[in-house]
Amino acid sequence: ATFDYDDFLTRLCAGITRDDEALAYAVELQNRAGTTVGAISNTLDGHVIWLDEHLPELKELDLVMMSNEVFLAKPDPAIYLLALEQLNLPAEQTIFVDDLDVNVRAAEAVGMAGIVHKDWAVTRPQIEAWLAS
C-alpha cells in the first residue's frame, strides 16, 4: 500500500474546525489600541499545516505559539511564561481564555486572569469586563 500524505492530513485534522466568531473577535481585539492578542495551541506538525491554510487570521495576532514548535504544551506553566516573555507582558496584565479548565487553572497559577470558555455569549462580555477593569 502507498502512503497518501494528503489523505493522512485530512484524517488527522478532521476534528479541527474554524470558529469564525472567535477569529473575528480576536482580530477586532488585536486592532484595538493598547490590546495585544496571542494564541497558544497544543498542536502537531500536520495541524499547523491545516491551521496555516484555513485560519489566515492567526497571522494578524501578536503571538501564535504552537506547542510542537516550542516543545511545550498546555497546561505546562512554562508555555504560559514563554508566551508572556515573547509578548513582553507581565502576567497580571493578561487574560487567558481556553475551553479546558485545567489549562485556565495553569495560566492562573502563573498570575494570569482566566476564563473557561463555553459560549461566546458569556465569554465575550467576561473579556470586555476584564479589559474595562
Side-chain angles (χ1 to χ4, degrees):
T2 60
F3 179 75
D4 183 333
Y5 189 72
D6 289 335
D7 181 57
F8 170 76
L9 277 181
T10 299
R11 291 170 186 266
L12 178 69
C13 300
I16 305 174
T17 58
R18 281 180 56 88
D19 184 334
D20 291 322
E21 187 174 1
L23 291 164
Y25 185 51
V27 171
E28 176 194 323
L29 287 173
Q30 179 67 59
N31 291 326
R32 288 188 196 177
T35 303
T36 300
V37 178
I40 301 172
S41 183
N42 286 354
T43 54
L44 306 167
D45 290 339
H47 291 161
V48 174
I49 293 167
W50 190 95
L51 293 168
D52 286 346
E53 183 177 332
H54 294 91
L55 279 68
E57 296 88 348
L58 292 178
K59 291 177 179 64
E60 298 182 46
L61 306 183
D62 284 313
L63 174 72
V64 176
M65 183 173 288
M66 303 295 183
S67 64
N68 63 305
E69 295 171 354
V70 298
F71 306 105
L72 297 166
K74 301 176 292 185
D76 184 338
I79 198 164
Y80 307 100
L81 295 172
L82 180 60
L84 291 168
E85 180 183 314
Q86 290 189 5
L87 289 168
N88 195 29
L89 288 171
E92 300 74 30
Q93 292 180 15
T94 63
I95 186 167
F96 181 78
V97 179
D98 197 285
D99 61 343
L100 295 179
D101 184 74
V102 65
N103 293 339
V104 173
R105 299 301 155 242
E108 290 174 333
V110 301
M112 299 169 137
I115 294 174
V116 178
H117 167 70
K118 299 295 180 207
D119 178 356
W120 280 110
V122 175
T123 303
R124 188 174 179 146
Q126 290 177 314
I127 293 170
E128 293 298 331
W130 182 85
L131 287 169
S133 65

